[in-house]
Amino acid sequence: MQSTITILVALVCVAMAQVSVPPGYKERYPNHYPWAKNVRHARDVTWDRSVGNGKVFGTLGSNDQGLFGKGGYKETIFNDARGKLDAQAYGSRVLSPAGDSSHFGGKLDWANDNAKAALDISKQIHGKTTVDASAAGVWNLDKNTQFSAGGGLSHTGGAKPDVNVKAQIEHKF
């Protein structure tokens, strides 16, 4: 009986020790108390400015893994009866103790009322090129029948590409 009471008192003490924090501890050690309100604020700098027909965007910042910078340009090429075509060029640089890396790439996104398609090509400096392409569409054949199809391709330099295709006809009785 005494051992049960001793264990119960010990569990209550441990629970109280984990819940209570001495005064001034949060201010003195904000990194050791993750729920503190005054944890270091984010130091990222982000911008998004209109230039010509498009926008220049970017972010400079840091986290526990290192320093990073991302930037690019995006523009809508057309938005009319053909659909909407958006283009984007981007790049990033990461400096960290584990190693540095640089990436750049471009992306095209097209969509209209029935279909959409995307193409993204990126390259790591001194690394491999990655290509991701996808397309999907839905068309009404009559008032009760609908045809949908889609597919994608993902390829990272040197490896075999991953290809997927799906088509479906749906008829409502």
Side-chain angles (χ1 to χ4, degrees):
M1 179 72 173
Q2 267 186 328
S3 62
T4 306
I5 293 173
T6 305
I7 291 173
L8 184 62
V9 169
L11 287 174
V12 170
C13 290
V14 168
M16 291 298 294
Q18 289 186 6
V19 172
S20 64
V21 176
Y25 183 83
K26 293 182 208 176
E27 291 78 20
R28 196 173 309 148
Y29 304 105
N31 292 334
H32 297 314
Y33 190 70
W35 298 282
K37 296 283 186 193
N38 59 353
V39 174
R40 183 179 71 183
H41 66 282
R43 295 179 288 176
D44 296 350
V45 176
T46 301
W47 70 93
D48 190 5
R49 296 221 175 14
S50 294
V51 175
N53 294 332
K55 287 189 175 197
V56 174
F57 60 91
T59 301
L60 295 172
S62 67
N63 56 24
D64 293 339
Q65 285 79 34
L67 303 171
F68 61 89
K70 300 184 276 188
Y73 177 76
K74 57 186 170 184
E75 179 177 336
T76 299
I77 297 175
F78 60 79
N79 188 2
D80 55 17
R82 299 173 287 181
K84 181 179 180 185
L85 179 63
D86 292 324
Q88 179 177 336
Y90 56 88
S92 68
R93 175 80 173 146
V94 177
L95 303 172
S96 73
D100 305 340
S101 68
S102 298
H103 290 78
F104 67 92
K107 181 191 288 190
L108 289 171
D109 289 314
W110 172 80
N112 71 7
D113 295 338
N114 296 330
K116 61 183 176 179
L119 174 66
D120 187 357
I121 300 174
S122 63
K123 167 99 174 123
Q124 180 177 0
I125 304 296
H126 305 296
K128 298 181 178 182
T129 301
T130 302
V131 177
D132 289 315
S134 64
V138 177
W139 296 272
N140 293 323
L141 300 178
D142 61 27
K143 71 177 191 172
N144 292 330
T145 307
Q146 193 176 53
F147 175 71
S148 61
L153 172 105
S154 180
H155 180 70
T156 302
K160 290 185 177 181
D162 293 330
V163 179
N164 61 56
V165 178
K166 181 179 180 181
Q168 177 177 339
I169 295 177
E170 183 178 323
H171 183 75
K172 297 176 186 169
F173 293 100

